[in-house]
Amino acid sequence: MTERKVAAIVLAAGKGTRMKSDLHKVLHPIAGRPMLAHLLASVAELEPARTVVVVGSGREQVEPVAAGYGARVVVQEPQLGTAHAVQQAEAPLDGFDGDILILYGDTPLVSVATMRAMLARLRADDAPAVVVVASRPADPLQYGRIIADADGLIEKMVEYKDASEAERAVDLCNSGLMAVRSQDLFRLLARVGNDNAAGEYYLPDIVMIAGADGRRSAVIETGEDEVAGINSRAELAEVEASWQRRRRAELMAAGVTLAAPETVWLSHDTVIGRDSSVEPNVVFGPGVEVGEGARIRAFSHLEGARVAAGAEIGPYARLRPGAEIGEKAKVGNFVEVKKARLGPGAKANHLSYVGDAEVGAGANIGAGTITCNYDGFLKYRTHIGEGAFIGSNTALVAPVSVGDGAIVGAGSVVTRDVAADALAIARGSQEERPGWAAKFRTAMAAKKKARGG
Ligand code: UD1
Ligand code: CA
């Protein structure tokens, strides 16, 4: 038996006025990735034959993100309701034969498991015409209500605006997400009218239209968090928080210690290896991969960085894009690393900037060392050899290279390459005048007395 094909329609033509934003609502990020990208990435796991995103305005903003997942964008203008929105996908789905998932761009965290459950219910032996995903939110607000029997067969779907008091008292709420066969969907939609409180073409009406043909539709339930819609920045923050909670729990379950999980900020693609520990107040921007047994200490900020097994970062460290920290290397407090590789066991423990650099294994970078990588126009690289020792407060004026095992004296401004195993000192040399300070004090004290001080 070959499995039926899948297509997805993502509705995103709503005005999104409550976001008060020039950015399209579905492009606001959760965990550092546009909400639409979260949804399309989940859809992609079903290997859909086609995916269509329905937008109103902002097509040019949405298109690049949609294209990244092979989705087509169509415009709904004007926006006459959810049924009308789904109809816009009829042309792009022409010739598609299979099961269609209807999803909302502003309900981005619906899981692949729920999508599979929708398809499984649609394909069950009793062959419902429509499968509707519902939840029972603590506060059912103005969601559309679903009147269903104990077996989850739907008697009626009603919008809050059109509902009676008794219907409003029902706590089973329409998430909006549905699964319908391609041969049914557009025929049912063609029969939807707009004689209702909002004067809109309601998608849920297809359930009653199928019912009039003697066909039943079924509801499946999921958790309230999973189908939480985002209409405002406050709701965006709530969904972000729930995403963060879930991901932290997954990391801990996979063997990562989070001492104060609620203070650790993760991105959609953060990878942290087993037996690593993360202290409080650490931010992982996009693109961070941490190996096993690493320690990320308090108040560190990491983005686009790789940290190998057993390395220690922070407290108060900043790893910027292109930072690659080798095994058991250490990046300490107030150290910034950008586009730089620290070899295994290398150390930059205090107050340094290491940018556009290559640091060999076991090298030690003293406190206050700066790679001067920029002359106001161009960037240059610094090479520090294996086992080299850079004294405190050294300025390495790139392009420059310090050989393996070389030592640079503290306070140096290094402008020329240093050979392997050499000592380089580039600072004013020290003078000493024996007894000078004592004589100075005596002379100055006498002068002050003569002035009557
Ligand atoms: C809709 C459902 C309601 C459900 C709720 C869940 C209808 C009639 N009502 O209500 O039962 O409880 O979602 O959140 O379906 N959209 C378009 N074009 C349009 C109108 C909407 O693309 O013309 C898109 C929106 O961008 C959004 C989704 O459809 O992604 C839902 O629209 P919204 O206006 O939020 O629907 P609700 O009235 O909240
Ligand atoms: Ca809504």
Side-chain angles (χ1 to χ4, degrees):
M1 211 176 73
T2 58
E3 196 155 79
R4 284 170 60 77
K5 288 195 171 129
V6 179
I9 301 172
V10 176
L11 302 191
K15 295 255 184 289
T17 29
R18 281 199 280 152
M19 293 301 278
K20 301 205 169 77
S21 179
D22 292 337
L23 183 66
H24 195 289
K25 178 161 95 168
V26 300
L27 299 182
H28 281 260
I30 295 166
R33 164 161 85 162
M35 54 174 107
L36 179 65
H38 280 270
L39 185 62
L40 294 179
S42 299
V43 168
E45 290 191 38
L46 303 172
E47 298 177 13
R50 297 185 209 177
T51 303
V52 180
V53 181
V54 182
V55 301
S57 56
R59 173 189 196 136
E60 63 300 333
Q61 289 184 11
V62 172
E63 213 136 47
V65 176
Y69 295 88
R72 274 189 62 176
V73 175
V74 290
V75 175
Q76 179 200 19
E77 182 58 53
Q79 290 96 47
L80 302 178
T82 46
H84 178 250
V86 175
Q87 271 180 314
Q88 310 311 307
E90 184 164 8
L93 291 183
D94 184 41
F96 168 78
D97 179 20
D99 299 332
I100 297 176
L101 293 177
I102 298 166
L103 306 166
Y104 284 6
D106 61 3
T107 307
L109 299 187
V110 53
S111 67
V112 181
T114 294
M115 294 180 194
R116 290 193 203 282
M118 294 164 75
L119 293 169
R121 185 68 191 87
L122 188 70
R123 293 165 183 174
D125 290 342
D126 64 339
V130 181
V131 173
V132 180
V133 179
S135 71
R136 297 183 194 269
D139 184 352
L141 304 164
Q142 310 217 332
Y143 284 116
R145 302 300 205 264
I146 302 175
I147 320 298
D149 68 15
D151 297 327
L153 293 175
I154 303 174
E155 274 145 35
K156 184 180 177 187
M157 295 191 61
V158 59
E159 287 306 291
Y160 184 84
K161 278 185 186 168
D162 302 280
S164 66
E165 278 311 307
E167 288 166 340
R168 286 180 182 182
V170 169
D171 68 346
L172 190 62
C173 291
N174 176 24
S175 70
L177 315 191
M178 294 186 187
V180 193
R181 287 172 204 77
S182 56
Q183 66 267 32
D184 292 329
L185 179 61
F186 299 105
R187 286 187 205 159
L188 292 167
L189 286 171
R191 294 157 68 188
V192 173
N194 66 348
D195 182 14
N196 53 50
E200 285 182 7
Y201 296 87
Y202 291 163
L203 178 61
D205 282 4
I206 62 174
V207 168
M208 278 71 73
I209 293 166
D213 294 345
R215 300 180 61 195
R216 303 304 301 270
S217 291
V219 63
I220 60 174
E221 285 190 48
T222 186
E224 155 179 27
D225 275 3
E226 193 188 344
V227 289
I230 297 170
N231 299 297
S232 64
R233 307 231 186 199
E235 287 171 357
L236 179 66
E238 278 171 33
V239 170
E240 174 82 48
S242 96
W243 187 94
Q244 293 285 340
R245 269 195 303 277
R246 198 174 65 202
R247 190 72 193 106
R248 291 170 191 135
E250 284 169 7
L251 279 176
M252 290 189 283
V256 176
T257 296
L258 304 180
E262 65 287 359
T263 69
V264 174
W265 200 255
L266 303 163
S267 282
H268 65 99
D269 57 355
T270 305
V271 174
I272 306 179
R274 189 185 147 98
D275 281 328
S276 284
S277 70
V278 181
E279 290 184 0
N281 298 298
V282 171
V283 174
F284 293 93
V288 176
E289 204 176 307
V290 177
E292 295 192 353
R295 192 165 172 215
I296 313 297
R297 306 201 54 199
F299 297 98
S300 293
H301 191 286
L302 298 79
E303 185 179 359
R306 287 231 304 265
V307 176
E312 187 174 323
I313 308 300
Y316 298 99
R318 177 158 186 220
L319 301 188
R320 291 174 52 206
E324 288 189 31
I325 312 304
E327 275 187 36
K328 295 192 176 154
K330 281 175 84 173
V331 175
N333 44 265
F334 307 105
V335 173
E336 174 180 338
V337 181
K338 184 218 73 168
K339 261 196 205 162
R341 191 173 12 219
L342 263 63
K347 289 181 188 146
N349 277 336
H350 330 269
L351 303 160
S352 287
Y353 172 69
V354 183
D356 300 308
E358 204 74 48
V359 179
N364 192 319
I365 296 179
T369 295
I370 306 288
T371 53
C372 309
N373 59 331
Y374 185 50
D375 59 10
F377 297 93
L378 295 169
K379 299 270 172 79
Y380 307 92
R381 294 191 70 82
T382 298
H383 290 266
I384 297 173
E386 281 186 21
F389 181 96
I390 310 297
S392 297
N393 208 33
T394 292
L396 296 159
V397 183
V400 74
S401 142
V402 176
D404 292 353
I407 295 178
V408 174
S412 291
V413 176
V414 179
T415 54
R416 293 194 307 270
D417 290 355
V418 178
D421 293 319
L423 167 68
I425 302 177
R427 62 175 187 235
S429 57
Q430 188 168 330
E431 261 184 61
E432 183 161 329
R433 302 178 192 178
W436 189 95
K439 272 187 247 163
F440 175 75
R441 272 193 299 275
T442 310
M444 292 311 285
K447 206 168 188 176
K448 195 171 179 187
K449 202 170 172 193
R451 288 195 187 172

